[in-house]
Structure formats: structure tokens, C-alpha cells
């Protein structure tokens, strides 16, 4: 989905920073962890040099020492260097993890803030809840490797080899030169392979998505396939698709193995060259340059450094694929998280609670998208406190938009909206009630003051028509409710929503086709209770509906057609 074509919050790809800049802004507040990781990594590099020197020198002393200088203090130094090196490497990894934790926590907070800012109307148009869950979970987690491994490795790929190279040059410039010349080969070959692998990776991702859809389609049509005796063909189909995916996955693996093989090959060749050089120099076969003066110490020292020299490059290569994943995530999340441009249009003004008018809309226009017809157009409407109003009109006439405007879920593009200070919080009951996995008590307490005592909860249930001896609520308030109201009928879920509205103490109830999914009997019972309770408490009620059975119960009927007010009658 292309976010720039989506309505409402003004998020747009042209305003959003490119993925890499986005990843950098996420890093900004937590840079110190990255700096610590780099310092620790550089320290570990120094410890490696010290370790190689201590080991080489103790061996040198043990073989050629003239008794006066025993080798064991140097062995002790080597042990210390090992400990130091491991400690610093652990510190580097740990700071990388801390960085990744901090960035992900931040990003999750921003996602939640964005979702709440968008509100349910715009949110529903930015992908279903599943895609938000995936953004929140998997996509954010996909950034971990980038911050925990890639960025620390990126800073160290040049610094640590440079350090080791300097150490090698200090002992023997020929060995240093051998290492220096072999290093650039590796990134060149890795880049060549990397370019190809990115394409294969992408193809694999696509194929994976398609395979999932392919399979799902056939599962959905299973009944039909069975009846039309096409089951076998479908089976073959799925098997073929899966086999295609398998082959592509093997190609991805081949490329991955190839790239690590290339890496190992070139580092092995370079280390071998250094070893040959050192060996022949020590044997006295080489006459040129510094070879004649090479001692056992400097030869061993250089030889021990050689494998370490390639280690940061190796780590960088391993974490390189983290970068591609992070950039893909950045490209998706960056436009989503942009603050909305300032439309210069203030939100709803607040009216004092003493004013008998709770809601006043003046010449209000609401547009979801610039090019298409507004959802509401030039609407004038006053609603008094305690009034019960039906908003009627055919589907698409703007009823839900009017309610969303009163709720603050959408903003007016022009005109003015003024709303009583006591209209917050409001209660919203829609066609589908959102109940969550948990006990009935937990579901009722959403939106109610914390520590509302059980008797009050039971009273609200009774008011909503949920009897305590209801066989589907065997454990009363402790009855578990499944995800998405599972275990309750539509009518019961709607009654729970009503009880919630009562408990919330809201002075404004916004009901968007609250009974359109219920049978007439349940609808009748629920509406009778609901409206009687609202009347008794002087709660203002707005009901969007196109059912006469609903709107003939209300004192006032506001008619909408294509976003315009068509009639306003008091019964
Ligand atoms: P009703 O509730 O009367 O069916 P709505 O208020 O839902 O009407 O819709 C009014 C118009 O606004 C319709 O044309 C609908 O397609 C459009 N609309 C509603 N919500 C959105 C949205 N989130 N994004 C874009 N267009 C929307
Ligand atoms: Mg609607």
C-alpha cells in the first residue's frame, strides 16, 4: 500500500526522510551506546596486538632467552591480554544490544503514539490490525541486527585492521604490505556477490508471500475443490509451488555459502602468503628488504596478527544482510511515523459545561482525500445536553464520519466544531464490539475508573441485561472471554459494551449502528434499556442508523445524504 495516497493524517512519502536517514534519526538519541561499542571494539583490537606481542615475546625468550629474562611474566601478560580482549568484546556486544533495545523501545513508542494520533478511523485505512501487529513486532525486531551488529561492525572494519596493520608495519614492512594488498580484494568480491544476492533475496521474499497466498486460497476453497474432485490437481499445484520456493531458497543458501567461501579463501591466501614469507625469511632464504633482520619475535608477532586482521571484515560481511532488512523496514515505517503537517486548522473548541448546547457544528466540511467528494459538506448542527438524536441516511452518507467528528477521530477541514468540556470522555459503541482475551471483569473495567468494586460491575451488567445466572457466563465476572469476543454471542458482546459505557461515566454516547448485527428481539431489548438509562442520567446520545426500528425511538432525527444535512426533525 502506498501511504502517500492515504487519507487524513497527511503522512506522505515525499515528506518522509529516506530509509537511511530515518535509521540515523532513530540512532541519534542513543549514539552513546554506539560510541561505547566502538571504543570497546578498538580496545579489543589493542588487546589483540598486546596478546600477539606477549605470546611472540615469551616464545622468543623461551627459545633464545639468556636465563636472565624468564618468559613466564610475559605469559602472564598474555593471559591478562586474553581476559582483557574477551571482556572488551563482551562489552562491545553488550553495548550493541543496548543500542538495539533502546532504538526498538523508542520506535515502538512512536508507533503507538502514531496509532493513537491517527485514531480508529484513519488507522483502519492504514492496514488491518494484523499489519499493525506485524509492524509493532516483527518489523521493529528486524532492526535489531542493524543496530546490534552492523553499525558497531561498520565503525570497526577500518579502524581495527588499520591498527593491526600499523603494528605489522612496525615490525616488517613486507608482511604489512602483503596484508594491506590482500584486504581490498575481499570487499570487492563480497560486493559483487552481494549485489546478486540482494536480487535473489528479494525474489525469495516475493515467492514466499505468493506461496502463502497460493496455499491460503486453496485451503479456503477446500470444500469446493473436494466437491469438484479437483483436490488432486490442487495438491499437485501446491507441491509445485512449494518446490519452486525450495529451489529458490537453495539458491539463496548457495550464494550465502559462496560469499563466505570467497571470504575464507582470500583471507587464507593472505595468511598463507604472510606465513610463507615469515618462514622463508627466518630460514634465511630471503635476502631482500627487511627479511634479513626478521627475528622470531617479529615473525611470530606478524603471523599471529594476520588472522585477526581479517576478523572485523568477516564480522562486517556477516552483518551486512542486517542492513538490507533494516532499510526495507525503514522504507515502510518512515512515512508512517511522520508528524502530520500543520493544517493551520484548530481542533474542536471547548464549550463551558454550563452551556445547554453540548455540540455545535458550524458549516463543517470533512474530506478524507483531496480529490474526492467530501464525506461531510457544510453541516450545521446543534445538539443540546441530554438530547437523544438519530443520525439517519443511506450507507456512505457520512453518518459514521459525523460521529467520528464528535469523537475527535477526524478533524474538520473547514468550519468550526465546538464541544462541551464534559463530553470527554465519551463512550463509543459500534457495530462490532471489541472485547479482548481476559476475564469479563477485565473487559468491563476498560475505560471504567480503576478499582471499581464488583457490585458496581454487576449492577452495570444487570442494567445492560446480562443476568448473573446466564449459562454462558458460568463464572460470573471471572468468566474468561476469548480473543475477539469469542465465547459470547453478538448480543452479549453488545451488552458488555453497553455496561462498559455505563461504567465509564461518560456524558456523551456515540453509537454507530449499534444493533445492526442483532436479531430484532435483542435489538429491541437492548435499545429500550440503553435509552432509558441514558434518559435517566441525562446522557447525550447520538445514534447512527438506517433502521426505522431504531430511529423511531429517538426524540430527534437528523437526515444526511451524500454528506449534506437534509432534514432535522424533532418528534
Ligand atoms: P456512513 O457511515 O453513512 O455509511 P461514512 O461516514 O462511513 O458513511 O462515509 C462517508 C464517505 O466517506 C463515504 O464515501 C466513504 O467511502 C468515505 N470514507 C469513510 N471513511 C473513510 C476513510 N477512513 N478514508 C477514506 N474515505 C472514507
Ligand atoms: Mg457507517
Amino acid at each position: 500500500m502506498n501511504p502517500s495516497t492515504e487519507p487524513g493524517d497527511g503522512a506522505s512519502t515525499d515528506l518522509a526522510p529516506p530509509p537511511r536517514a530515518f535509521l540515523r534519526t532513530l540512532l541519534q538519541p542513543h549514539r552513546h551506546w554506539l560510541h561505547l561499542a566502538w571504543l570497546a571494539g578498538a580496545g579489543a583490537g589493542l588487546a589483540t596486538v598486546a596478546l600477539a606481542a606477549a605470546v611472540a615475546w615469551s616464545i622468543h625468550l623461551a627459545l633464545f632467552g639468556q636465563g636472565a629474562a624468564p618468559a613466564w611474566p610475559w605469559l602472564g601478560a598474555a593471559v591478562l591480554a586474553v581476559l582483557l580482549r574477551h571482556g572488551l568484546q563482551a562489552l562491545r556486544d553488550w553495548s550493541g544490544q543496548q543500542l538495539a533495545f533502546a532504538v526498538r523501545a523508542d520506535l515502538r513508542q512512536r508507533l503507538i503514539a502514531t496509532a493513537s494520533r491517527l485514531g480508529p478511523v484513519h488507522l483502519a485505512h492504514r492496514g488491518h490490525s494484523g499489519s499493525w501487529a506485524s509492524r509493532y513486532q516483527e518489523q521493529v525486531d528486524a532492526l535489531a541486527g542493524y543496530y546490534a551488529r552492523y553499525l558497531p561492525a561498520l565503525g570497526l572494519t577500518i579502524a581495527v585492521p588499520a591498527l593491526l596493520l600499523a603494528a605489522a608495519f612496525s615490525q616488517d614492512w613486507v608482511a604489512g604490505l602483503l596484508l594491506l594488498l590482500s584486504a581490498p580484494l575481499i570487499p570487492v568480491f563480497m560486493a559483487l556477490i552481494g549485489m546478486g544476492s540482494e536480487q535473489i533475496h528479494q525474489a525469495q521474499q516475493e515467492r514466499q508471500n505468493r506461496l502463502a497466498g497460493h496455499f491460503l486460497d486453496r485451503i479456503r476453497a477446500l470444500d469446493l475443490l473436494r466437491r469438484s474432485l479437483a483436490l488432486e490437481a490442487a495438491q499437485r499445484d501446491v507441491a509445485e509451488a512449494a518446490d519452486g520456493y525450495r529451489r529458490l531458497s537453495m539458491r539463496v543458501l548457495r550464494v550465502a555459502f559462496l560469499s563466505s567461501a570467497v571470504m575464507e579463501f582470500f583471507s587464507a591466501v593472505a595468511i598463507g602468503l604472510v606465513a610463507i614469507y615469515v618462514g622463508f625469511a627466518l630460514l634465511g632464504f630471503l635476502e631482500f628488504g627487511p627479511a634479513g633482520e626478521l627475528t622470531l619475535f617479529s615473525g611470530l608477532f606478524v603471523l599471529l596478527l594476520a588472522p585477526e586482521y581479517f576478523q572485523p571484515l568477516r564480522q562486517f560481511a556477516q552483518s551486512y544482510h542486517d542492513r538490507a532488512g533494516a532499510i526495507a523496514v525503514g522504507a515502510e515505517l518512515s512515512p508512517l511515523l511522520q508528524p502530520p503537517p500543520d493544517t493551520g486548522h484548530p481542533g474542536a473548541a471547548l464549550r463551558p459545561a454550563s452551556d445547554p448546547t453540548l455540540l455545535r457544528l458550524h458549516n463543517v466540511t470533512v474530506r478524507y482525500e483531496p480529490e474526492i467528494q467530501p464525506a461531510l459538506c457544510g453541516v450545521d448542527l446543534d445538539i443540546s445536553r441530554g438530547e437523544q438524536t438519530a443520525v439517519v441516511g443511506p450507507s456512505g452518507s457520512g453518518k459514521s464520519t459525523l460521529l467520528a467528528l464528535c469523537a475527535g477521530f477526524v478533524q474538520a477541514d473547514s468550519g468550526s466544531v465546538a464541544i462541551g468540556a464534559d463530553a470527554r470522555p465519551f463512550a463509543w459503541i459500534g457495530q462490532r464490539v471489541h472485547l479482548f482475551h481476559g476475564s469479563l471483569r477485565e473487559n468491563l473495567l476498560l475505560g471504567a475508573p480503576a478499582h471499581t468494586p464488583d457490585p458496581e460491575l454487576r449492577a452495570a451488567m444487570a442494567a445492560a441485561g446480562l443476568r448473573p445466572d446466564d449459562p454462558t457466563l458460568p463464572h460470573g465476572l471471572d468468566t474468561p472471554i476469548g480473543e475477539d469476543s469469542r465465547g459470547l454471542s453478538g448480543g452479549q458482546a453488545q451488552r458488555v459494551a453497553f455496561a462498559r459505557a455505563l461504567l465509564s461515566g461518560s456524558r456523551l454516547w456515540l453509537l454507530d449502528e449499534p444493533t445492526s448485527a442483532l436479531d430484532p428481539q435483542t435489538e429491541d431489548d437492548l435499545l429500550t434499556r440503553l435509552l432509558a438509562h441514558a434518559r435517566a442520567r441525562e446522557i447525550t446520545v447520538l445514534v447512527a442508523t438506517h433502521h426505522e426500528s431504531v430511529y423511531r425511538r429517538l426524540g430527534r432525527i437528523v437526515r444526511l445524504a451524500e454528506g449534506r444535512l437534509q432534514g432535522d426533525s424533532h418528534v
Side-chain angles (χ1 to χ4, degrees):
M1 193 160 30
N2 178 5
S4 67
T5 61
E6 283 170 52
D9 63 319
S12 132
T13 22
D14 1 296
L15 295 176
R20 264 174 262 183
F22 174 70
L23 295 176
R24 266 200 302 281
T25 49
L26 287 179
L27 169 70
Q28 216 46 255
H30 309 291
R31 297 194 76 82
H32 54 280
W33 289 120
L34 184 59
H35 294 160
L36 183 60
W38 283 346
L39 269 180
L46 279 174
T48 305
V49 174
L51 173 63
V55 170
W57 190 239
S58 42
I59 293 177
H60 184 94
L61 280 183
L63 294 180
F64 305 114
Q66 263 93 47
W72 60 265
W74 291 103
L75 273 179
V79 171
L80 265 184
V82 168
L83 292 179
L84 189 64
R85 186 171 111 112
H86 278 276
L88 286 169
Q89 277 170 350
L91 178 62
R92 179 198 64 197
D93 293 348
W94 180 77
S95 348
Q97 293 293 348
Q98 292 301 313
L99 173 66
F101 276 132
V103 167
R104 281 181 294 165
D106 257 14
L107 189 58
R108 291 210 162 100
Q109 246 161 26
R110 280 178 68 179
L111 271 171
I112 290 182
T114 304
S116 352
R117 175 172 57 70
L118 285 175
V121 175
H122 296 307
L123 202 57
H125 275 245
R126 310 211 121 208
H128 50 82
S129 40
S131 65
W132 278 90
S134 140
R135 278 169 199 152
Y136 189 80
Q137 269 304 326
E138 286 101 33
Q139 295 201 358
V140 172
D141 274 342
L143 293 179
Y146 178 79
Y147 290 101
R149 291 186 295 268
Y150 174 77
L151 285 183
L154 179 66
L156 295 170
T157 19
I158 302 292
V160 171
L163 183 73
L164 301 189
L165 205 59
F169 266 108
S170 76
Q171 293 304 315
D172 188 302
W173 65 260
V174 178
L177 203 62
L178 284 174
L179 289 180
L180 178 66
L181 292 182
S182 59
L185 285 180
I186 292 176
V188 167
F189 276 90
M190 298 296 285
L192 282 179
I193 293 173
M195 278 186 255
S197 84
E198 215 155 287
Q199 281 166 2
I200 300 180
H201 262 291
Q202 243 164 20
Q204 190 213 17
Q205 283 295 324
E206 262 168 45
R207 188 70 77 91
Q208 186 175 9
N209 288 342
R210 238 186 306 149
L211 183 67
H214 187 92
F215 186 59
L216 194 65
D217 281 348
R218 274 148 192 78
I219 290 285
R220 283 204 180 119
L222 205 56
D223 223 25
L224 183 72
L225 291 172
R226 191 187 292 276
R227 267 180 283 149
S228 58
L229 303 177
L231 213 50
E232 235 172 83
Q235 251 171 3
R236 247 195 331 271
D237 238 27
V238 171
E240 266 165 32
D243 194 49
Y245 177 65
R246 181 188 62 79
R247 273 197 297 264
L248 202 59
S249 300
M250 290 314 289
R251 265 177 67 197
V252 171
L253 281 180
R254 266 207 297 277
V255 170
F257 284 131
L258 182 64
S259 62
S260 57
V262 165
M263 177 91 219
E264 297 305 327
F265 175 75
F266 280 102
S267 54
V269 166
I271 295 167
L273 281 179
V274 173
I276 290 171
Y277 166 74
V278 168
F280 280 116
L282 286 180
L283 289 172
F285 292 166
L286 297 178
E287 295 296 318
F288 65 92
E293 287 125 53
L294 196 75
T295 62
L296 179 61
F297 164 73
S298 44
L300 268 179
F301 178 64
V302 169
L303 205 53
L304 286 171
L305 285 184
E308 296 298 332
Y309 174 71
F310 292 100
Q311 196 51 35
L313 274 174
R314 222 178 252 148
Q315 247 163 14
F316 178 71
Q318 277 166 4
S319 62
Y320 194 74
H321 68 264
D322 288 326
R323 177 179 165 275
I327 285 180
V329 170
E332 164 125 9
L333 294 189
S334 163
L336 206 65
L337 292 176
Q338 283 323 291
D342 191 5
T343 53
H345 201 76
L350 284 186
R351 305 178 64 82
S354 55
D355 194 318
T357 307
L358 181 73
L359 269 171
R360 173 164 287 168
L361 311 185
H362 177 61
N363 198 17
V364 166
T365 297
V366 175
R367 266 173 213 284
Y368 288 104
E369 284 170 64
E371 320 82 52
I372 64 164
Q373 204 195 341
L376 284 181
C377 189
V379 172
D380 285 301
L381 187 65
D382 273 13
I383 293 195
S384 310
R385 288 200 158 72
E387 204 168 17
Q388 301 194 337
T389 310
V391 182
V392 306
S395 191
S397 55
K399 304 183 295 294
S400 298
T401 305
L402 182 63
L403 261 55
L405 187 70
C406 298
F409 295 160
V410 297
Q411 255 73 50
D413 290 274
S414 64
S416 67
V417 179
I419 197 157
D422 50 331
R424 298 283 182 268
F426 57 88
W428 179 284
I429 303 182
Q431 189 172 337
R432 259 191 79 238
V433 180
H434 293 285
L435 297 183
F436 302 95
H437 179 75
S439 66
L440 178 58
R441 181 185 289 104
E442 285 165 334
N443 271 286
L444 284 171
L445 280 173
L446 277 178
H451 313 300
T452 308
D454 280 3
E456 243 175 86
L457 300 184
R458 289 205 187 88
M461 278 168 63
L466 283 169
R467 292 196 322 275
D469 59 345
D470 192 321
T472 58
L473 302 174
H475 306 290
L477 286 170
D478 294 308
T479 307
I481 293 177
E483 199 60 58
D484 255 344
S485 333
R486 220 153 293 153
L488 295 187
S489 70
Q492 280 173 314
Q494 213 62 315
R495 286 178 201 279
V496 173
F498 169 33
R500 254 189 206 161
L502 274 178
L503 287 165
S504 71
S506 306
R507 307 296 303 151
L508 171 65
W509 291 358
L510 301 169
L511 314 180
D512 193 4
E513 317 213 16
T515 55
S516 60
L518 306 181
D519 60 88
Q521 212 177 337
T522 314
E523 172 179 75
D524 181 65
D525 177 63
L526 194 64
L527 280 176
T528 309
R529 289 169 181 278
L530 206 140
L531 295 175
H533 274 278
R535 203 165 292 130
R537 291 173 173 73
E538 295 192 355
I539 290 169
T540 314
V541 182
L542 246 81
V543 189
T545 181
H546 50 253
H547 287 170
E548 203 195 329
S549 55
V550 177
Y551 64 70
R552 65 179 153 78
R553 297 162 179 267
L554 291 125
R556 180 178 175 192
I557 298 177
V558 170
R559 281 177 200 283
L560 284 176
E562 294 181 0
R564 289 174 193 279
L565 212 60
Q566 294 281 305
D568 185 354
S569 55
H570 292 260
V571 185

